[in-house]
Amino acid sequence: MTYPAMLRYLLFFSLLLGTTATWAGIVRGKITDPKGEPLAFANVAVRGSATSSASNEQGNYQLRLEAGAYEIVYQYVGFKPRVEKLTVAGGDTATVLNVTLTPENYNLGEVLIRASDRDPAYAIVQHAIDWRKYHRAEVAAFTARMYIKSIIRLTDVPGKIMGLVKVGPDIKPGVVYLSESLSDMSFRQPGKIQERMISSRVSGSSKGFSFNRASKSFNFYDNLLQSGFSERGFVSPVAQNAMQFYRYELVGTSVQNGITINKIRVTPRHRIDPAFSGFIYIAEDGTWRLHSLDLSLDSNSGIEYVDKLRVEILYAPAPATRRPGLFSRRK
């Protein structure tokens, strides 16, 4: 028996496309939903650059920018992206910009499904599976500076562990582990990764060392993913054999920047299958790429130490120029 706990990861990539000698101003604010509730771990990015950040658990964010005009893109899984234009003044200045994001409306059009028909989601997912190898090998190489924040929170504390060992009064619900790390990572096909940790910090411990590793992050274009909380691997919803493990349901569609985004509910075919539950969002952009994910694993999945592991990923194009003909489609 383990303490009921929730683990969440915050991970964002900042591609090293250049360096900046000085910072001139700060842009900060809070990101909330229409009810005023904070949106934790929302993505905040400067359009056309490698500069990005993310909101904390209270929805607060901060960016350091040189003087100039910018377009800031705010994104959160399941919500409409929002773009704000602003000008950062020179000198040691601060610009406060609070942002409210609204949920995206995913409407299910008139689709006639007979009892013998499969849900339209299966055809969409099959397209994504057909393009999986292409997206997995799409980027030949990159270098990134990566920030990871790991939080372990106890949602409840039992009176005894395994009914035998009494839990002391010093163990209470709340955050019991908080670590941050900054590292440089380089990647080159096929799967060659090098990572150098620049700094790490564990809250409440001057000698604590973070075990965060950017190179251990999930890649849902792999067939099998390792959670770190189980010896078994878990099947990606777009793995080559995913349809043996998942049921799919088209919840609805939305149009973003002229591209149709399909919201699809995924559930394990059997209660103890090594599979995720939640939603995947697939873009009809000609390559059927993953747009975003909101997935979770629980005790039925076979994870240990925590009751639930939730993974939220929002994919975005890297601010780099692709040379025509550099990549080709492969199945």
Side-chain angles (χ1 to χ4, degrees), residues 216-262:
K216 297 296 183 181
S217 59
F218 288 169
N219 181 357
F220 278 87
Y221 286 117
D222 289 341
N223 285 320
L224 206 62
L225 298 98
Q226 299 296 332
S227 68
F229 294 91
S230 174
E231 292 184 2
R232 74 193 308 199
F234 296 93
V235 179
S236 166
V238 294
Q240 200 64 40
N241 61 341
M243 293 195 182
Q244 298 177 27
F245 295 90
Y246 286 97
R247 300 184 189 277
Y248 302 96
E249 177 191 354
L250 180 62
V251 175
T253 62
S254 177
V255 177
Q256 296 181 11
N257 298 321
I259 297 175
T260 297
I261 309 297
N262 300 281

mmCIF file of all heavy atoms in Angstrom, residues 216-262:
data_model
loop_
_atom_site.group_PDB
_atom_site.id
_atom_site.type_symbol
_atom_site.label_atom_id
_atom_site.label_comp_id
_atom_site.label_asym_id
_atom_site.label_seq_id
_atom_site.Cartn_x
_atom_site.Cartn_y
_atom_site.Cartn_z
ATOM 1 N N LYS A 216 14.227 11.525 -20.384
ATOM 2 C CA LYS A 216 13.278 10.487 -20.003
ATOM 3 C C LYS A 216 11.837 10.881 -20.294
ATOM 4 O O LYS A 216 10.914 10.196 -19.907
ATOM 5 C CB LYS A 216 13.422 10.173 -18.508
ATOM 6 C CG LYS A 216 14.776 9.610 -18.102
ATOM 7 C CD LYS A 216 15.049 8.267 -18.742
ATOM 8 C CE LYS A 216 16.378 7.687 -18.257
ATOM 9 N NZ LYS A 216 16.677 6.384 -18.880
ATOM 10 N N SER A 217 11.633 11.996 -20.965
ATOM 11 C CA SER A 217 10.278 12.452 -21.237
ATOM 12 C C SER A 217 9.582 11.535 -22.235
ATOM 13 O O SER A 217 10.212 10.825 -23.008
ATOM 14 C CB SER A 217 10.297 13.882 -21.785
ATOM 15 O OG SER A 217 11.058 13.943 -22.964
ATOM 16 N N PHE A 218 8.247 11.555 -22.203
ATOM 17 C CA PHE A 218 7.455 10.691 -23.051
ATOM 18 C C PHE A 218 7.529 11.116 -24.509
ATOM 19 O O PHE A 218 7.475 12.296 -24.831
ATOM 20 C CB PHE A 218 5.989 10.701 -22.622
ATOM 21 C CG PHE A 218 5.712 9.986 -21.334
ATOM 22 C CD1 PHE A 218 4.488 10.103 -20.718
ATOM 23 C CD2 PHE A 218 6.671 9.183 -20.738
ATOM 24 C CE1 PHE A 218 4.209 9.457 -19.533
ATOM 25 C CE2 PHE A 218 6.408 8.515 -19.556
ATOM 26 C CZ PHE A 218 5.174 8.657 -18.951
ATOM 27 N N ASN A 219 7.609 10.148 -25.407
ATOM 28 C CA ASN A 219 7.447 10.391 -26.834
ATOM 29 C C ASN A 219 6.315 9.495 -27.303
ATOM 30 O O ASN A 219 6.484 8.278 -27.448
ATOM 31 C CB ASN A 219 8.734 10.072 -27.597
ATOM 32 C CG ASN A 219 8.595 10.351 -29.092
ATOM 33 O OD1 ASN A 219 7.521 10.736 -29.576
ATOM 34 N ND2 ASN A 219 9.663 10.151 -29.838
ATOM 35 N N PHE A 220 5.150 10.071 -27.524
ATOM 36 C CA PHE A 220 3.977 9.278 -27.859
ATOM 37 C C PHE A 220 4.005 8.757 -29.293
ATOM 38 O O PHE A 220 3.079 8.061 -29.696
ATOM 39 C CB PHE A 220 2.703 10.075 -27.588
ATOM 40 C CG PHE A 220 2.302 10.035 -26.143
ATOM 41 C CD1 PHE A 220 2.817 10.950 -25.238
ATOM 42 C CD2 PHE A 220 1.445 9.067 -25.666
ATOM 43 C CE1 PHE A 220 2.473 10.918 -23.903
ATOM 44 C CE2 PHE A 220 1.084 9.012 -24.326
ATOM 45 C CZ PHE A 220 1.605 9.944 -23.433
ATOM 46 N N TYR A 221 5.036 9.080 -30.029
ATOM 47 C CA TYR A 221 5.220 8.450 -31.335
ATOM 48 C C TYR A 221 5.995 7.142 -31.211
ATOM 49 O O TYR A 221 6.146 6.422 -32.187
ATOM 50 C CB TYR A 221 5.915 9.409 -32.303
ATOM 51 C CG TYR A 221 4.998 10.518 -32.781
ATOM 52 C CD1 TYR A 221 5.270 11.849 -32.496
ATOM 53 C CD2 TYR A 221 3.840 10.218 -33.496
ATOM 54 C CE1 TYR A 221 4.418 12.861 -32.926
ATOM 55 C CE2 TYR A 221 2.988 11.221 -33.922
ATOM 56 C CZ TYR A 221 3.284 12.545 -33.643
ATOM 57 O OH TYR A 221 2.433 13.538 -34.066
ATOM 58 N N ASP A 222 6.505 6.828 -30.010
ATOM 59 C CA ASP A 222 7.049 5.502 -29.744
ATOM 60 C C ASP A 222 5.887 4.547 -29.512
ATOM 61 O O ASP A 222 4.810 4.953 -29.050
ATOM 62 C CB ASP A 222 7.949 5.519 -28.511
ATOM 63 C CG ASP A 222 9.261 6.251 -28.748
ATOM 64 O OD1 ASP A 222 9.639 6.426 -29.928
ATOM 65 O OD2 ASP A 222 9.894 6.654 -27.754
ATOM 66 N N ASN A 223 6.110 3.276 -29.807
ATOM 67 C CA ASN A 223 5.057 2.288 -29.571
ATOM 68 C C ASN A 223 4.802 2.071 -28.088
ATOM 69 O O ASN A 223 3.671 1.920 -27.648
ATOM 70 C CB ASN A 223 5.412 0.951 -30.228
ATOM 71 C CG ASN A 223 5.234 0.968 -31.726
ATOM 72 O OD1 ASN A 223 4.271 1.536 -32.232
ATOM 73 N ND2 ASN A 223 6.163 0.370 -32.447
ATOM 74 N N LEU A 224 5.888 2.065 -27.303
ATOM 75 C CA LEU A 224 5.793 1.748 -25.884
ATOM 76 C C LEU A 224 6.469 2.851 -25.075
ATOM 77 O O LEU A 224 7.560 3.309 -25.425
ATOM 78 C CB LEU A 224 6.468 0.403 -25.614
ATOM 79 C CG LEU A 224 6.000 -0.406 -24.401
ATOM 80 C CD1 LEU A 224 4.523 -0.789 -24.545
ATOM 81 C CD2 LEU A 224 6.851 -1.661 -24.234
ATOM 82 N N LEU A 225 5.828 3.257 -23.991
ATOM 83 C CA LEU A 225 6.367 4.328 -23.151
ATOM 84 C C LEU A 225 6.614 3.807 -21.740
ATOM 85 O O LEU A 225 5.807 3.044 -21.208
ATOM 86 C CB LEU A 225 5.404 5.509 -23.097
ATOM 87 C CG LEU A 225 5.103 6.203 -24.422
ATOM 88 C CD1 LEU A 225 3.798 5.690 -25.005
ATOM 89 C CD2 LEU A 225 5.020 7.696 -24.238
ATOM 90 N N GLN A 226 7.719 4.247 -21.142
ATOM 91 C CA GLN A 226 8.044 3.882 -19.773
ATOM 92 C C GLN A 226 7.680 5.043 -18.852
ATOM 93 O O GLN A 226 8.142 6.161 -19.050
ATOM 94 C CB GLN A 226 9.528 3.548 -19.652
ATOM 95 C CG GLN A 226 9.970 2.377 -20.514
ATOM 96 C CD GLN A 226 9.322 1.062 -20.116
ATOM 97 O OE1 GLN A 226 8.953 0.864 -18.944
ATOM 98 N NE2 GLN A 226 9.193 0.146 -21.069
ATOM 99 N N SER A 227 6.868 4.765 -17.834
ATOM 100 C CA SER A 227 6.395 5.819 -16.946
ATOM 101 C C SER A 227 7.368 6.129 -15.829
ATOM 102 O O SER A 227 7.339 7.230 -15.264
ATOM 103 C CB SER A 227 5.050 5.417 -16.331
ATOM 104 O OG SER A 227 5.224 4.328 -15.433
ATOM 105 N N GLY A 228 8.217 5.162 -15.469
ATOM 106 C CA GLY A 228 9.073 5.336 -14.302
ATOM 107 C C GLY A 228 8.394 4.915 -13.018
ATOM 108 O O GLY A 228 9.003 4.906 -11.951
ATOM 109 N N PHE A 229 7.103 4.534 -13.101
ATOM 110 C CA PHE A 229 6.353 4.113 -11.932
ATOM 111 C C PHE A 229 5.807 2.693 -12.091
ATOM 112 O O PHE A 229 4.867 2.309 -11.411
ATOM 113 C CB PHE A 229 5.207 5.089 -11.652
ATOM 114 C CG PHE A 229 5.688 6.446 -11.248
ATOM 115 C CD1 PHE A 229 5.905 7.429 -12.196
ATOM 116 C CD2 PHE A 229 5.966 6.730 -9.923
ATOM 117 C CE1 PHE A 229 6.371 8.672 -11.823
ATOM 118 C CE2 PHE A 229 6.421 7.980 -9.549
ATOM 119 C CZ PHE A 229 6.632 8.950 -10.499
ATOM 120 N N SER A 230 6.415 1.957 -12.997
ATOM 121 C CA SER A 230 6.027 0.571 -13.211
ATOM 122 C C SER A 230 7.089 -0.100 -14.060
ATOM 123 O O SER A 230 7.749 0.547 -14.878
ATOM 124 C CB SER A 230 4.662 0.494 -13.919
ATOM 125 O OG SER A 230 4.348 -0.849 -14.245
ATOM 126 N N GLU A 231 7.259 -1.391 -13.855
ATOM 127 C CA GLU A 231 8.207 -2.123 -14.680
ATOM 128 C C GLU A 231 7.651 -2.364 -16.077
ATOM 129 O O GLU A 231 8.417 -2.561 -17.025
ATOM 130 C CB GLU A 231 8.550 -3.460 -14.020
ATOM 131 C CG GLU A 231 9.341 -3.320 -12.721
ATOM 132 C CD GLU A 231 9.747 -4.657 -12.153
ATOM 133 O OE1 GLU A 231 9.439 -5.692 -12.784
ATOM 134 O OE2 GLU A 231 10.382 -4.685 -11.081
ATOM 135 N N ARG A 232 6.352 -2.343 -16.210
ATOM 136 C CA ARG A 232 5.739 -2.573 -17.508
ATOM 137 C C ARG A 232 5.730 -1.278 -18.318
ATOM 138 O O ARG A 232 5.701 -0.176 -17.779
ATOM 139 C CB ARG A 232 4.315 -3.107 -17.338
ATOM 140 C CG ARG A 232 3.328 -2.050 -16.902
ATOM 141 C CD ARG A 232 1.995 -2.571 -16.421
ATOM 142 N NE ARG A 232 1.343 -3.480 -17.346
ATOM 143 C CZ ARG A 232 0.027 -3.758 -17.301
ATOM 144 N NH1 ARG A 232 -0.756 -3.168 -16.410
ATOM 145 N NH2 ARG A 232 -0.506 -4.603 -18.148
ATOM 146 N N GLY A 233 5.761 -1.421 -19.623
ATOM 147 C CA GLY A 233 5.609 -0.273 -20.494
ATOM 148 C C GLY A 233 4.143 -0.060 -20.823
ATOM 149 O O GLY A 233 3.307 -0.950 -20.634
ATOM 150 N N PHE A 234 3.819 1.124 -21.343
ATOM 151 C CA PHE A 234 2.436 1.452 -21.669
ATOM 152 C C PHE A 234 2.323 1.795 -23.147
ATOM 153 O O PHE A 234 3.165 2.506 -23.700
ATOM 154 C CB PHE A 234 1.951 2.613 -20.796
ATOM 155 C CG PHE A 234 1.927 2.257 -19.339
ATOM 156 C CD1 PHE A 234 3.012 2.521 -18.524
ATOM 157 C CD2 PHE A 234 0.831 1.615 -18.795
ATOM 158 C CE1 PHE A 234 3.008 2.179 -17.188
ATOM 159 C CE2 PHE A 234 0.805 1.262 -17.451
ATOM 160 C CZ PHE A 234 1.900 1.535 -16.651
ATOM 161 N N VAL A 235 1.276 1.294 -23.761
ATOM 162 C CA VAL A 235 1.083 1.420 -25.203
ATOM 163 C C VAL A 235 0.580 2.818 -25.539
ATOM 164 O O VAL A 235 -0.379 3.307 -24.931
ATOM 165 C CB VAL A 235 0.092 0.360 -25.717
ATOM 166 C CG1 VAL A 235 -0.128 0.512 -27.220
ATOM 167 C CG2 VAL A 235 0.595 -1.039 -25.394
ATOM 168 N N SER A 236 1.226 3.463 -26.502
ATOM 169 C CA SER A 236 0.770 4.767 -26.960
ATOM 170 C C SER A 236 -0.566 4.627 -27.695
ATOM 171 O O SER A 236 -0.801 3.623 -28.383
ATOM 172 C CB SER A 236 1.803 5.378 -27.907
ATOM 173 O OG SER A 236 1.260 6.486 -28.606
ATOM 174 N N PRO A 237 -1.453 5.613 -27.594
ATOM 175 C CA PRO A 237 -2.723 5.553 -28.334
ATOM 176 C C PRO A 237 -2.546 5.558 -29.850
ATOM 177 O O PRO A 237 -3.505 5.266 -30.574
ATOM 178 C CB PRO A 237 -3.466 6.811 -27.862
ATOM 179 C CG PRO A 237 -2.859 7.125 -26.544
ATOM 180 C CD PRO A 237 -1.413 6.754 -26.669
ATOM 181 N N VAL A 238 -1.337 5.907 -30.352
ATOM 182 C CA VAL A 238 -1.090 5.859 -31.797
ATOM 183 C C VAL A 238 0.037 4.869 -32.108
ATOM 184 O O VAL A 238 0.715 4.993 -33.129
ATOM 185 C CB VAL A 238 -0.767 7.254 -32.374
ATOM 186 C CG1 VAL A 238 -1.972 8.166 -32.279
ATOM 187 C CG2 VAL A 238 0.438 7.882 -31.678
ATOM 188 N N ALA A 239 0.244 3.893 -31.243
ATOM 189 C CA ALA A 239 1.230 2.847 -31.502
ATOM 190 C C ALA A 239 0.785 1.991 -32.679
ATOM 191 O O ALA A 239 -0.398 1.986 -33.063
ATOM 192 C CB ALA A 239 1.412 1.978 -30.263
ATOM 193 N N GLN A 240 1.710 1.245 -33.240
ATOM 194 C CA GLN A 240 1.390 0.415 -34.403
ATOM 195 C C GLN A 240 0.288 -0.592 -34.084
ATOM 196 O O GLN A 240 -0.541 -0.916 -34.928
ATOM 197 C CB GLN A 240 2.655 -0.318 -34.881
ATOM 198 C CG GLN A 240 2.574 -0.820 -36.312
ATOM 199 C CD GLN A 240 2.442 0.318 -37.318
ATOM 200 O OE1 GLN A 240 3.073 1.353 -37.179
ATOM 201 N NE2 GLN A 240 1.604 0.137 -38.332
ATOM 202 N N ASN A 241 0.273 -1.101 -32.844
ATOM 203 C CA ASN A 241 -0.725 -2.091 -32.437
ATOM 204 C C ASN A 241 -1.752 -1.513 -31.471
ATOM 205 O O ASN A 241 -2.378 -2.237 -30.694
ATOM 206 C CB ASN A 241 -0.035 -3.287 -31.797
ATOM 207 C CG ASN A 241 0.741 -2.905 -30.540
ATOM 208 O OD1 ASN A 241 1.065 -1.726 -30.339
ATOM 209 N ND2 ASN A 241 1.055 -3.871 -29.697
ATOM 210 N N ALA A 242 -1.940 -0.196 -31.494
ATOM 211 C CA ALA A 242 -2.775 0.474 -30.492
ATOM 212 C C ALA A 242 -4.214 -0.023 -30.492
ATOM 213 O O ALA A 242 -4.849 -0.104 -29.431
ATOM 214 C CB ALA A 242 -2.749 1.985 -30.730
ATOM 215 N N MET A 243 -4.756 -0.374 -31.635
ATOM 216 C CA MET A 243 -6.173 -0.749 -31.693
ATOM 217 C C MET A 243 -6.465 -2.067 -30.994
ATOM 218 O O MET A 243 -7.629 -2.402 -30.771
ATOM 219 C CB MET A 243 -6.653 -0.754 -33.140
ATOM 220 C CG MET A 243 -6.665 0.634 -33.747
ATOM 221 S SD MET A 243 -7.605 0.760 -35.265
ATOM 222 C CE MET A 243 -7.332 2.487 -35.671
ATOM 223 N N GLN A 244 -5.421 -2.808 -30.652
ATOM 224 C CA GLN A 244 -5.620 -4.008 -29.851
ATOM 225 C C GLN A 244 -5.846 -3.667 -28.377
ATOM 226 O O GLN A 244 -6.336 -4.497 -27.608
ATOM 227 C CB GLN A 244 -4.413 -4.930 -29.974
ATOM 228 C CG GLN A 244 -4.143 -5.429 -31.379
ATOM 229 C CD GLN A 244 -2.889 -6.280 -31.447
ATOM 230 O OE1 GLN A 244 -2.487 -6.902 -30.466
ATOM 231 N NE2 GLN A 244 -2.252 -6.310 -32.609
ATOM 232 N N PHE A 245 -5.487 -2.445 -27.992
ATOM 233 C CA PHE A 245 -5.538 -2.061 -26.586
ATOM 234 C C PHE A 245 -6.524 -0.936 -26.288
ATOM 235 O O PHE A 245 -6.846 -0.705 -25.128
ATOM 236 C CB PHE A 245 -4.144 -1.617 -26.116
ATOM 237 C CG PHE A 245 -3.122 -2.715 -26.142
ATOM 238 C CD1 PHE A 245 -2.358 -2.943 -27.284
ATOM 239 C CD2 PHE A 245 -2.931 -3.526 -25.046
ATOM 240 C CE1 PHE A 245 -1.414 -3.954 -27.308
ATOM 241 C CE2 PHE A 245 -1.991 -4.535 -25.057
ATOM 242 C CZ PHE A 245 -1.225 -4.757 -26.200
ATOM 243 N N TYR A 246 -6.994 -0.221 -27.320
ATOM 244 C CA TYR A 246 -7.811 0.970 -27.092
ATOM 245 C C TYR A 246 -9.162 0.910 -27.787
ATOM 246 O O TYR A 246 -9.322 0.289 -28.849
ATOM 247 C CB TYR A 246 -7.079 2.219 -27.602
ATOM 248 C CG TYR A 246 -5.929 2.667 -26.749
ATOM 249 C CD1 TYR A 246 -4.620 2.304 -27.075
ATOM 250 C CD2 TYR A 246 -6.125 3.458 -25.619
ATOM 251 C CE1 TYR A 246 -3.547 2.719 -26.305
ATOM 252 C CE2 TYR A 246 -5.052 3.886 -24.844
ATOM 253 C CZ TYR A 246 -3.770 3.514 -25.187
ATOM 254 O OH TYR A 246 -2.707 3.923 -24.420
ATOM 255 N N ARG A 247 -10.110 1.607 -27.188
ATOM 256 C CA ARG A 247 -11.362 1.984 -27.842
ATOM 257 C C ARG A 247 -11.305 3.486 -28.085
ATOM 258 O O ARG A 247 -10.789 4.240 -27.251
ATOM 259 C CB ARG A 247 -12.567 1.636 -26.974
ATOM 260 C CG ARG A 247 -12.690 0.151 -26.649
ATOM 261 C CD ARG A 247 -13.958 -0.139 -25.856
ATOM 262 N NE ARG A 247 -13.983 -1.501 -25.368
ATOM 263 C CZ ARG A 247 -14.378 -2.548 -26.087
ATOM 264 N NH1 ARG A 247 -14.785 -2.350 -27.335
ATOM 265 N NH2 ARG A 247 -14.372 -3.757 -25.578
ATOM 266 N N TYR A 248 -11.853 3.930 -29.209
ATOM 267 C CA TYR A 248 -11.788 5.336 -29.589
ATOM 268 C C TYR A 248 -13.191 5.875 -29.839
ATOM 269 O O TYR A 248 -14.054 5.187 -30.383
ATOM 270 C CB TYR A 248 -10.959 5.516 -30.860
ATOM 271 C CG TYR A 248 -9.543 4.995 -30.753
ATOM 272 C CD1 TYR A 248 -9.215 3.719 -31.207
ATOM 273 C CD2 TYR A 248 -8.525 5.765 -30.210
ATOM 274 C CE1 TYR A 248 -7.924 3.224 -31.126
ATOM 275 C CE2 TYR A 248 -7.219 5.290 -30.118
ATOM 276 C CZ TYR A 248 -6.936 4.017 -30.576
ATOM 277 O OH TYR A 248 -5.649 3.538 -30.484
ATOM 278 N N GLU A 249 -13.394 7.123 -29.457
ATOM 279 C CA GLU A 249 -14.687 7.785 -29.681
ATOM 280 C C GLU A 249 -14.440 9.233 -30.086
ATOM 281 O O GLU A 249 -13.756 9.974 -29.374
ATOM 282 C CB GLU A 249 -15.533 7.739 -28.414
ATOM 283 C CG GLU A 249 -16.864 8.476 -28.561
ATOM 284 C CD GLU A 249 -17.575 8.642 -27.229
ATOM 285 O OE1 GLU A 249 -17.094 8.092 -26.213
ATOM 286 O OE2 GLU A 249 -18.604 9.351 -27.212
ATOM 287 N N LEU A 250 -14.987 9.641 -31.227
ATOM 288 C CA LEU A 250 -14.868 11.026 -31.671
ATOM 289 C C LEU A 250 -15.823 11.888 -30.862
ATOM 290 O O LEU A 250 -17.038 11.755 -30.956
ATOM 291 C CB LEU A 250 -15.186 11.136 -33.168
ATOM 292 C CG LEU A 250 -15.109 12.548 -33.767
ATOM 293 C CD1 LEU A 250 -13.692 13.114 -33.644
ATOM 294 C CD2 LEU A 250 -15.557 12.534 -35.221
ATOM 295 N N VAL A 251 -15.252 12.788 -30.052
ATOM 296 C CA VAL A 251 -16.054 13.668 -29.208
ATOM 297 C C VAL A 251 -16.543 14.866 -30.005
ATOM 298 O O VAL A 251 -17.681 15.319 -29.846
ATOM 299 C CB VAL A 251 -15.232 14.136 -27.990
ATOM 300 C CG1 VAL A 251 -16.016 15.146 -27.160
ATOM 301 C CG2 VAL A 251 -14.831 12.934 -27.145
ATOM 302 N N GLY A 252 -15.688 15.392 -30.876
ATOM 303 C CA GLY A 252 -16.073 16.543 -31.689
ATOM 304 C C GLY A 252 -14.873 17.096 -32.425
ATOM 305 O O GLY A 252 -13.753 16.599 -32.301
ATOM 306 N N THR A 253 -15.118 18.140 -33.212
ATOM 307 C CA THR A 253 -14.053 18.769 -33.987
ATOM 308 C C THR A 253 -14.093 20.280 -33.791
ATOM 309 O O THR A 253 -15.126 20.859 -33.436
ATOM 310 C CB THR A 253 -14.190 18.463 -35.486
ATOM 311 O OG1 THR A 253 -15.429 19.004 -35.971
ATOM 312 C CG2 THR A 253 -14.151 16.963 -35.750
ATOM 313 N N SER A 254 -12.961 20.901 -34.025
ATOM 314 C CA SER A 254 -12.846 22.354 -33.974
ATOM 315 C C SER A 254 -11.874 22.778 -35.062
ATOM 316 O O SER A 254 -11.069 21.963 -35.530
ATOM 317 C CB SER A 254 -12.341 22.804 -32.595
ATOM 318 O OG SER A 254 -12.167 24.205 -32.547
ATOM 319 N N VAL A 255 -11.931 24.023 -35.458
ATOM 320 C CA VAL A 255 -11.033 24.543 -36.484
ATOM 321 C C VAL A 255 -10.134 25.593 -35.862
ATOM 322 O O VAL A 255 -10.611 26.571 -35.270
ATOM 323 C CB VAL A 255 -11.804 25.142 -37.679
ATOM 324 C CG1 VAL A 255 -10.838 25.735 -38.697
ATOM 325 C CG2 VAL A 255 -12.674 24.079 -38.331
ATOM 326 N N GLN A 256 -8.824 25.391 -35.970
ATOM 327 C CA GLN A 256 -7.836 26.345 -35.461
ATOM 328 C C GLN A 256 -6.880 26.697 -36.585
ATOM 329 O O GLN A 256 -6.240 25.809 -37.157
ATOM 330 C CB GLN A 256 -7.061 25.747 -34.284
ATOM 331 C CG GLN A 256 -7.914 25.436 -33.067
ATOM 332 C CD GLN A 256 -7.098 24.879 -31.919
ATOM 333 O OE1 GLN A 256 -5.875 24.909 -31.935
ATOM 334 N NE2 GLN A 256 -7.779 24.362 -30.904
ATOM 335 N N ASN A 257 -6.824 27.965 -36.899
ATOM 336 C CA ASN A 257 -5.959 28.457 -37.981
ATOM 337 C C ASN A 257 -6.204 27.698 -39.291
ATOM 338 O O ASN A 257 -5.269 27.380 -40.028
ATOM 339 C CB ASN A 257 -4.490 28.332 -37.582
ATOM 340 C CG ASN A 257 -4.147 29.170 -36.367
ATOM 341 O OD1 ASN A 257 -4.630 30.286 -36.220
ATOM 342 N ND2 ASN A 257 -3.321 28.633 -35.483
ATOM 343 N N GLY A 258 -7.466 27.410 -39.554
ATOM 344 C CA GLY A 258 -7.838 26.748 -40.796
ATOM 345 C C GLY A 258 -7.632 25.245 -40.800
ATOM 346 O O GLY A 258 -7.875 24.589 -41.823
ATOM 347 N N ILE A 259 -7.202 24.665 -39.684
ATOM 348 C CA ILE A 259 -6.948 23.221 -39.605
ATOM 349 C C ILE A 259 -7.955 22.584 -38.658
ATOM 350 O O ILE A 259 -8.175 23.067 -37.546
ATOM 351 C CB ILE A 259 -5.509 22.938 -39.113
ATOM 352 C CG1 ILE A 259 -4.499 23.492 -40.108
ATOM 353 C CG2 ILE A 259 -5.286 21.440 -38.900
ATOM 354 C CD1 ILE A 259 -3.062 23.366 -39.653
ATOM 355 N N THR A 260 -8.567 21.488 -39.087
ATOM 356 C CA THR A 260 -9.529 20.772 -38.256
ATOM 357 C C THR A 260 -8.796 19.962 -37.188
ATOM 358 O O THR A 260 -7.875 19.206 -37.499
ATOM 359 C CB THR A 260 -10.390 19.835 -39.106
ATOM 360 O OG1 THR A 260 -11.152 20.608 -40.048
ATOM 361 C CG2 THR A 260 -11.359 19.039 -38.238
ATOM 362 N N ILE A 261 -9.207 20.141 -35.940
ATOM 363 C CA ILE A 261 -8.651 19.401 -34.824
ATOM 364 C C ILE A 261 -9.720 18.445 -34.302
ATOM 365 O O ILE A 261 -10.826 18.872 -33.967
ATOM 366 C CB ILE A 261 -8.190 20.330 -33.681
ATOM 367 C CG1 ILE A 261 -7.277 21.444 -34.216
ATOM 368 C CG2 ILE A 261 -7.503 19.521 -32.592
ATOM 369 C CD1 ILE A 261 -5.992 20.946 -34.823
ATOM 370 N N ASN A 262 -9.410 17.160 -34.242
ATOM 371 C CA ASN A 262 -10.346 16.145 -33.779
ATOM 372 C C ASN A 262 -10.051 15.784 -32.327
ATOM 373 O O ASN A 262 -8.918 15.422 -31.983
ATOM 374 C CB ASN A 262 -10.229 14.879 -34.632
ATOM 375 C CG ASN A 262 -10.536 15.133 -36.094
ATOM 376 O OD1 ASN A 262 -11.689 15.219 -36.489
ATOM 377 N ND2 ASN A 262 -9.490 15.259 -36.909
#
